[in-house]
Amino acid sequence: MTETVLLVGGGGREHAIARAVADDCALYACASVRNPGIRRLADGFEAIEETDAAAVADYATEVGADLAVIGPESALEAGVADALDDAGVYAFGPRAEEARLETDKAYQREFMEENAIPGCPDYAVFDDMGAACEYIDEYDGDLAVKPAGLTGGKGVKVIGDQVTAEEAKAYLRDVDYDRVVLEERLVGEEFTIQAFVANGDVRTTPAVQDHKRAYEGDEGPNTGGMGSYTDTGYSLPFMTEGDYDAAVDVLDAVVDALPDYKGVLYGQFMLTDEGPKVVEFNARFGDPEAMNTLPVLDTPFVDVLAAARDGDSLPELEFSGAATVCKYAVPDGYPTDPDAGAEIAVDEESAGDALLYYASVDERDGRLYTTTSRAFAVVGRGDSVTAAEAQAEDALAAAGDRVRIRHDIGTADLVQRRIDHMDELRS
């Protein structure tokens, strides 16, 4: 029997999900933006706000969906998984209460502490910004300042890296956040591991390193992610096998504490000289990390979804063994003053053997326009990170004008700097 799958969301992450399932199911999609890549793959597409839980559930029922995959965190926070489950459509995504692991950073840290989840940094939660400023003055060391709620990856300020202590306090006085989390600054190299979770099973995927900073050389403000890479195995060049296993132990501990969790559990880690520490958890695929892992997943993703729904053991995951490098094209001025509404020409044919994923573009009358967010990504694959980076770079002829790219992602020089950094910390 062919499964009927509903995909919720219209970004690059969701385009990657669509490509991973389209050949094995009847695919329908709904989103607030009309992603041209998803529309071409789907049997039906409906313009619905991702946070309109009732409308999403109604559309799922209308198309006879057996399964649903929820892409964006905003939909999880809005209870879209709850509405789908209640309508009899299995949602591969946590219900709103469990999605608090991502959507409420204060809850996230308190959950870790209460359940003795490894890798939790020192932290404190404040709803009084004056008290938070006093904590900064009194703390012996640098701190990361995090709004408790969702900020699209752009709300965190790190003292000693992005801002001074005085700038951090000014930031707190200027913003209207209800709560903030102040936690020890973690020093090391970041990496993420995404796991498929259902029925108590945890199936992990290769580690990814994302690049949040806007400009080459890790300069500039944070973004939603300018690109990322994986190696040919599960680990990354600056990691040991033990580092990967220690991070997986953290994910296992989370699922032990949340036995009904279902969907993707994404752990963002900082590899320190003491081992992996938890930067944060996400309750869905990463963007761009989904574009690294799903193209090299040989196990049909629909089989994972069906097993989750049916209460079966999740299949063991098999991967192609290719390294991947993802590079995003973003509007000029992104993220502080993006050039929205600029017409761009994307030559898909010029991408060659690389994969092209549309993210936040506005398609009108057959033409593409930028929005305030990332426009599209290319993903190269190869038998080494270097080969994958070369393929991605060759594909960037598809980018055209009026967009900007971090060309250094996945290059030998940047990867070697990561290795040297960890060697220095460990010594």
Side-chain angles (χ1 to χ4, degrees), residues 118-122 184-189 191 240 242-243 246-247 270-278 422 425-427:
C120 187
D122 292 336
E184 66 170 302
R185 176 191 174 191
L186 300 174
V187 177
E189 287 295 330
F191 67 96
T240 68
D243 295 330
M270 183 72 78
L271 181 55
T272 72
D273 58 354
E274 298 176 345
K277 298 286 187 74
V278 176
M422 282 313 306
L425 288 175
R426 284 177 160 140
S427 64

Side-chain angles (χ1 to χ4, degrees), residues 233-247:
Y234 277 76
S235 191
L236 289 166
F238 57 82
M239 298 168 60
T240 68
E241 184 177 334
D243 295 330
Y244 183 91
D245 292 343

Side-chain angles (χ1 to χ4, degrees), residues 90-270:
Y90 180 88
F92 192 70
R95 296 173 75 90
E97 178 61 26
E98 289 164 330
R100 289 180 67 202
L101 199 61
E102 171 175 8
T103 62
D104 184 341
K105 291 184 179 64
Y107 167 82
Q108 179 186 110
R109 291 310 189 200
E110 290 159 356
F111 166 86
M112 291 188 71
E113 186 174 26
E114 290 168 6
N115 292 280
I117 306 297
C120 187
D122 292 336
Y123 75 95
V125 180
F126 297 91
D127 56 16
D128 179 330
M129 297 306 117
C133 290
E134 290 178 9
Y135 186 83
I136 291 173
D137 287 334
E138 295 168 2
Y139 189 80
D140 183 18
D142 291 333
L143 291 161
V145 179
K146 297 184 175 184
L150 296 175
T151 60
K154 306 181 190 75
V156 176
K157 305 293 182 185
V158 181
I159 298 172
D161 179 22
Q162 300 165 301
V163 294
T164 65
E166 292 304 313
E167 288 169 337
K169 290 188 290 183
Y171 171 65
L172 288 172
R173 294 186 187 106
D174 271 350
V175 295
D176 57 356
Y177 299 133
D178 293 332
R179 287 176 305 150
V180 295
V181 181
L182 302 184
E183 54 191 48
E184 66 170 302
R185 176 191 174 191
L186 300 174
V187 177
E189 287 295 330
E190 290 192 34
F191 67 96
T192 62
I193 297 176
Q194 300 164 106
F196 302 152
V197 179
N199 314 320
D201 288 338
V202 180
R203 301 286 185 261
T204 59
T205 65
V208 186
Q209 185 169 57
D210 185 18
H211 298 69
K212 289 288 189 187
R213 292 299 190 92
Y215 309 129
E216 296 189 5
D218 296 319
E219 299 292 334
N222 272 359
T223 70
M226 293 295 295
S228 45
Y229 69 95
T230 62
D231 207 343
T232 54
Y234 277 76
S235 191
L236 289 166
F238 57 82
M239 298 168 60
T240 68
E241 184 177 334
D243 295 330
Y244 183 91
D245 292 343
V248 171
D249 287 344
V250 172
L251 300 180
D252 286 337
V254 171
V255 176
D256 286 345
L258 290 175
D260 294 329
Y261 190 98
K262 58 187 174 67
V264 175
L265 177 60
Y266 164 121
Q268 181 178 357
F269 300 94
M270 183 72 78

Side-chain angles (χ1 to χ4, degrees), residues 21-143:
V21 301
D23 290 342
D24 301 313
C25 70
L27 176 64
Y28 292 83
C30 61
S32 56
V33 295
R34 301 176 72 82
N35 184 307
I38 295 173
R39 288 180 63 200
R40 289 174 202 159
L41 292 168
D43 296 284
F45 180 94
E46 191 74 11
I48 298 173
E49 287 291 335
E50 290 90 343
T51 54
D52 190 339
V56 172
D58 287 346
Y59 183 60
T61 302
E62 177 186 325
V63 300
D66 308 299
L67 296 160
V69 184
I70 301 169
E73 61 271 29
S74 59
L76 296 170
E77 184 178 44
V80 171
D82 307 58
L84 287 165
D85 286 342
D86 293 346
V89 179
Y90 180 88
F92 192 70
R95 296 173 75 90
E97 178 61 26
E98 289 164 330
R100 289 180 67 202
L101 199 61
E102 171 175 8
T103 62
D104 184 341
K105 291 184 179 64
Y107 167 82
Q108 179 186 110
R109 291 310 189 200
E110 290 159 356
F111 166 86
M112 291 188 71
E113 186 174 26
E114 290 168 6
N115 292 280
I117 306 297
C120 187
D122 292 336
Y123 75 95
V125 180
F126 297 91
D127 56 16
D128 179 330
M129 297 306 117
C133 290
E134 290 178 9
Y135 186 83
I136 291 173
D137 287 334
E138 295 168 2
Y139 189 80
D140 183 18
D142 291 333
L143 291 161

